[in-house]
Coordinates of all heavy atoms in Angstrom, one line a residue:
W1 N 39.9 -62.2 49.0 CA 38.7 -62.3 49.8 C 38.2 -60.9 50.3 O 37.1 -60.6 50.2 CB 38.8 -63.3 50.9 CG 37.6 -63.4 51.8 CD1 36.5 -64.2 51.5 CD2 37.3 -62.6 52.9 NE1 35.5 -64.0 52.5 CE2 36.0 -63.0 53.4 CE3 37.9 -61.7 53.7 CZ2 35.4 -62.5 54.5 CZ3 37.3 -61.1 54.8 CH2 36.0 -61.6 55.2
L2 N 39.2 -60.1 50.9 CA 38.8 -58.8 51.4 C 38.3 -57.9 50.3 O 37.3 -57.2 50.5 CB 40.1 -58.2 52.1 CG 39.8 -56.9 52.8 CD1 38.8 -57.0 53.9 CD2 41.1 -56.3 53.3
L3 N 39.0 -57.9 49.2 CA 38.5 -57.0 48.1 C 37.1 -57.5 47.6 O 36.2 -56.7 47.3 CB 39.5 -57.1 46.9 CG 40.8 -56.3 47.1 CD1 41.7 -56.5 46.0 CD2 40.5 -54.8 47.3
A4 N 36.9 -58.8 47.4 CA 35.6 -59.3 47.0 C 34.5 -59.0 48.0 O 33.4 -58.7 47.7 CB 35.7 -60.8 46.8
Y5 N 34.9 -59.1 49.3 CA 33.9 -58.8 50.3 C 33.5 -57.3 50.3 O 32.3 -57.0 50.4 CB 34.5 -59.2 51.7 CG 33.5 -58.9 52.8 CD1 32.5 -59.8 53.1 CD2 33.6 -57.7 53.6 CE1 31.5 -59.5 54.1 CE2 32.7 -57.4 54.6 CZ 31.7 -58.4 54.9 OH 30.7 -58.1 55.9
E6 N 34.4 -56.5 50.1 CA 34.1 -55.0 50.0 C 33.3 -54.7 48.8 O 32.4 -53.9 48.8 CB 35.4 -54.2 50.0 CG 36.0 -54.1 51.4 CD 35.2 -53.4 52.4 OE1 34.5 -52.4 52.1 OE2 35.1 -54.0 53.5
F7 N 33.6 -55.4 47.7 CA 32.9 -55.1 46.4 C 31.5 -55.7 46.4 O 30.6 -55.0 46.0 CB 33.7 -55.7 45.2 CG 33.2 -55.3 43.9 CD1 33.3 -54.1 43.4 CD2 32.5 -56.3 43.1 CE1 32.8 -53.7 42.2 CE2 32.0 -55.9 41.9 CZ 32.1 -54.6 41.4
F8 N 31.4 -56.9 46.9 CA 30.1 -57.6 47.0 C 29.6 -57.6 48.4 O 29.0 -58.6 48.8 CB 30.2 -59.0 46.4 CG 30.6 -59.1 45.0 CD1 31.9 -59.5 44.7 CD2 29.8 -58.7 44.0 CE1 32.3 -59.6 43.4 CE2 30.2 -58.8 42.7 CZ 31.4 -59.3 42.4
K9 N 29.7 -56.5 49.1 CA 29.3 -56.4 50.5 C 27.8 -56.8 50.7 O 27.0 -56.3 49.9 CB 29.5 -55.0 51.0 CG 29.3 -54.8 52.4 CD 29.5 -53.4 52.8 CE 31.0 -53.1 52.9 NZ 31.2 -51.7 53.4
P10 N 27.6 -57.7 51.6 CA 26.2 -58.1 51.8 C 25.4 -56.9 52.3 O 25.8 -56.1 53.1 CB 26.3 -59.1 53.0 CG 27.7 -59.5 53.0 CD 28.5 -58.4 52.4
G11 N 24.2 -56.8 51.7 CA 23.3 -55.7 52.0 C 23.5 -54.4 51.2 O 22.8 -53.5 51.3
A12 N 24.6 -54.4 50.4 CA 24.9 -53.2 49.6 C 23.8 -52.9 48.6 O 23.4 -51.7 48.4 CB 26.2 -53.3 48.9
A13 N 23.3 -53.9 48.0 CA 22.2 -53.7 47.0 C 20.9 -53.2 47.7 O 20.2 -52.4 47.2 CB 21.9 -55.0 46.3
A14 N 20.6 -53.8 48.9 CA 19.5 -53.4 49.6 C 19.6 -52.0 50.1 O 18.7 -51.2 50.1 CB 19.3 -54.3 50.8
E15 N 20.8 -51.6 50.5 CA 21.1 -50.2 50.9 C 20.9 -49.2 49.8 O 20.3 -48.2 50.0 CB 22.5 -50.1 51.4 CG 22.9 -48.8 52.1 CD 24.3 -48.9 52.6 OE1 24.6 -49.8 53.4 OE2 25.1 -48.0 52.2
Q16 N 21.3 -49.6 48.6 CA 21.1 -48.7 47.4 C 19.6 -48.6 47.1 O 19.1 -47.5 46.7 CB 21.9 -49.3 46.2 CG 23.4 -49.1 46.3 CD 23.8 -47.7 46.1 OE1 23.4 -46.8 46.9 NE2 24.5 -47.4 45.0
T17 N 18.9 -49.7 47.2 CA 17.5 -49.7 46.9 C 16.8 -48.8 47.9 O 15.9 -48.0 47.5 CB 16.9 -51.1 46.9 OG1 17.6 -51.9 46.0 CG2 15.4 -51.1 46.6
E18 N 17.2 -48.9 49.2 CA 16.5 -48.1 50.2 C 16.8 -46.6 49.9 O 15.9 -45.8 50.1 CB 17.1 -48.4 51.6 CG 16.6 -49.7 52.1 CD 17.3 -50.1 53.4 OE1 17.9 -49.2 54.1 OE2 17.2 -51.3 53.8
K19 N 18.0 -46.2 49.5 CA 18.3 -44.8 49.2 C 17.4 -44.4 48.0 O 16.9 -43.3 48.0 CB 19.7 -44.7 48.8 CG 20.7 -44.7 50.0 CD 22.1 -44.5 49.5 CE 23.1 -44.6 50.7 NZ 24.5 -44.5 50.2
H20 N 17.3 -45.2 47.0 CA 16.5 -44.8 45.8 C 15.0 -44.7 46.2 O 14.3 -43.7 45.8 CB 16.6 -45.9 44.7 CG 15.9 -45.5 43.5 ND1 16.3 -44.4 42.7 CD2 14.8 -46.0 42.9 CE1 15.5 -44.3 41.6 NE2 14.6 -45.3 41.7
V21 N 14.5 -45.6 47.0 CA 13.1 -45.5 47.4 C 12.9 -44.3 48.3 O 11.9 -43.6 48.2 CB 12.7 -46.8 48.2 CG1 11.3 -46.7 48.8 CG2 12.6 -48.0 47.2
A22 N 13.8 -44.0 49.2 CA 13.7 -42.9 50.1 C 13.6 -41.6 49.3 O 12.9 -40.7 49.7 CB 14.9 -42.9 51.1
K23 N 14.4 -41.5 48.2 CA 14.4 -40.3 47.4 C 13.1 -40.1 46.7 O 12.6 -39.0 46.5 CB 15.5 -40.3 46.4 CG 16.8 -39.7 46.9 CD 17.8 -39.7 45.8 CE 18.4 -38.3 45.6 NZ 19.4 -38.3 44.6
K24 N 12.5 -41.2 46.2 CA 11.3 -41.2 45.4 C 11.4 -40.3 44.2 O 10.6 -39.3 44.1 CB 10.1 -40.9 46.3 CG 9.8 -42.0 47.3 CD 8.5 -41.7 48.1 CE 8.3 -42.8 49.1 NZ 7.2 -42.6 49.9
E25 N 12.4 -40.5 43.4 CA 12.6 -39.6 42.3 C 11.4 -39.8 41.3 O 10.8 -40.8 41.3 CB 13.9 -40.0 41.5 CG 15.1 -39.6 42.4 CD 16.4 -40.1 41.6 OE1 16.3 -40.9 40.8 OE2 17.4 -39.5 42.0
A26 N 11.1 -38.8 40.5 CA 10.1 -38.8 39.5 C 10.7 -38.3 38.2 O 11.6 -37.5 38.2 CB 8.9 -38.0 39.9
T27 N 10.2 -38.8 37.1 CA 10.7 -38.3 35.8 C 9.5 -37.6 35.1 O 8.4 -38.1 35.1 CB 11.2 -39.5 35.0 OG1 12.2 -40.1 35.7 CG2 11.8 -39.0 33.7
V28 N 9.9 -36.5 34.5 CA 8.9 -35.8 33.6 C 9.5 -35.6 32.2 O 10.6 -35.2 32.1 CB 8.6 -34.3 34.2 CG1 7.7 -33.6 33.3 CG2 8.0 -34.4 35.6
E29 N 8.7 -36.1 31.3 CA 9.2 -35.9 29.9 C 8.5 -34.7 29.3 O 7.3 -34.5 29.3 CB 8.8 -37.2 29.1 CG 9.6 -38.4 29.6 CD 9.4 -39.6 28.7 OE1 8.7 -39.5 27.6 OE2 9.8 -40.7 29.1
M30 N 9.4 -33.8 28.8 CA 8.8 -32.6 28.2 C 8.6 -32.8 26.7 O 9.2 -33.6 26.1 CB 9.8 -31.4 28.5 CG 10.1 -31.2 29.9 SD 10.9 -29.6 30.2 CE 9.6 -28.5 30.0
E31 N 7.6 -32.0 26.2 CA 7.4 -32.1 24.8 C 8.6 -31.6 24.0 O 9.4 -30.7 24.5 CB 6.1 -31.2 24.4 CG 4.9 -31.8 25.0 CD 3.7 -31.0 24.6 OE1 3.7 -30.4 23.5 OE2 2.7 -31.0 25.3
P32 N 8.8 -32.0 22.8 CA 10.0 -31.6 22.0 C 10.1 -30.1 21.8 O 9.1 -29.4 21.7 CB 9.8 -32.3 20.7 CG 8.9 -33.4 21.0 CD 8.0 -33.0 22.1
F33 N 11.3 -29.6 21.8 CA 11.6 -28.2 21.5 C 12.2 -28.1 20.1 O 13.0 -28.9 19.7 CB 12.7 -27.7 22.5 CG 12.2 -27.6 23.9 CD1 12.4 -28.6 24.8 CD2 11.6 -26.4 24.4 CE1 11.9 -28.5 26.1 CE2 11.2 -26.3 25.7 CZ 11.4 -27.4 26.5
V34 N 11.7 -27.2 19.3 CA 12.3 -26.9 18.0 C 12.6 -25.4 18.0 O 11.7 -24.6 18.1 CB 11.3 -27.3 16.9 CG1 11.9 -26.9 15.5 CG2 10.9 -28.7 16.9
V35 N 13.9 -25.1 17.9 CA 14.3 -23.7 18.0 C 15.3 -23.4 16.9 O 16.0 -24.3 16.4 CB 14.9 -23.3 19.3 CG1 13.9 -23.5 20.5 CG2 16.1 -24.1 19.6
N36 N 15.3 -22.1 16.5 CA 16.4 -21.6 15.6 C 17.6 -21.4 16.5 O 17.6 -20.9 17.6 CB 16.0 -20.3 15.0 CG 14.9 -20.4 14.0 OD1 14.7 -21.3 13.3 ND2 14.0 -19.4 14.1
L37 N 18.8 -21.8 15.9 CA 20.0 -21.7 16.7 C 20.6 -20.3 16.3 O 20.4 -19.8 15.2 CB 21.0 -22.8 16.4 CG 20.6 -24.1 16.9 CD1 21.5 -25.2 16.4 CD2 20.5 -24.1 18.5
A38 N 21.4 -19.8 17.3 CA 22.0 -18.4 17.1 C 23.2 -18.5 16.1 O 23.9 -19.5 16.0 CB 22.5 -17.9 18.4
G39 N 23.4 -17.4 15.4 CA 24.6 -17.2 14.7 C 24.9 -18.1 13.4 O 26.0 -18.1 12.9
A40 N 23.9 -18.8 13.0 CA 24.2 -19.7 11.8 C 23.6 -19.1 10.6 O 22.5 -18.6 10.5 CB 23.6 -21.0 12.1
Q41 N 24.4 -19.1 9.5 CA 23.9 -18.7 8.2 C 24.3 -19.8 7.3 O 25.5 -20.0 7.1 CB 24.6 -17.3 7.8 CG 24.1 -16.1 8.5 CD 22.6 -15.9 8.4 OE1 22.0 -16.2 7.4 NE2 22.0 -15.4 9.5
P42 N 23.5 -20.5 6.6 CA 22.0 -20.4 6.7 C 21.5 -20.9 8.0 O 22.3 -21.4 8.8 CB 21.6 -21.3 5.6 CG 22.7 -22.3 5.5 CD 24.0 -21.6 5.8
A43 N 20.2 -20.6 8.3 CA 19.6 -20.9 9.6 C 19.8 -22.4 9.9 O 19.7 -23.3 9.1 CB 18.2 -20.6 9.5
R44 N 20.1 -22.7 11.2 CA 20.2 -24.0 11.7 C 19.2 -24.2 12.8 O 18.8 -23.3 13.5 CB 21.6 -24.3 12.3 CG 22.8 -24.0 11.4 CD 23.1 -25.1 10.4 NE 23.4 -26.4 10.9 CZ 24.6 -26.9 11.1 NH1 25.6 -26.2 10.9 NH2 24.7 -28.2 11.5
Y45 N 18.7 -25.4 12.9 CA 17.6 -25.7 13.8 C 18.0 -26.8 14.8 O 18.8 -27.6 14.5 CB 16.3 -26.2 13.1 CG 15.9 -25.2 12.0 CD1 16.2 -25.4 10.7 CD2 15.0 -24.2 12.4 CE1 15.8 -24.5 9.8 CE2 14.6 -23.3 11.4 CZ 15.0 -23.4 10.1 OH 14.5 -22.5 9.2

């Protein structure tokens, strides 16, 4: 019971959600990069 209580602690999900909302992370997707790699013969991309 003690292990289950600690693992499924009431309010733990709400606490995680609050942290995530407080951070207000954002994601930016960059356009693809195509580059020649160093030191390869023949050329590698």
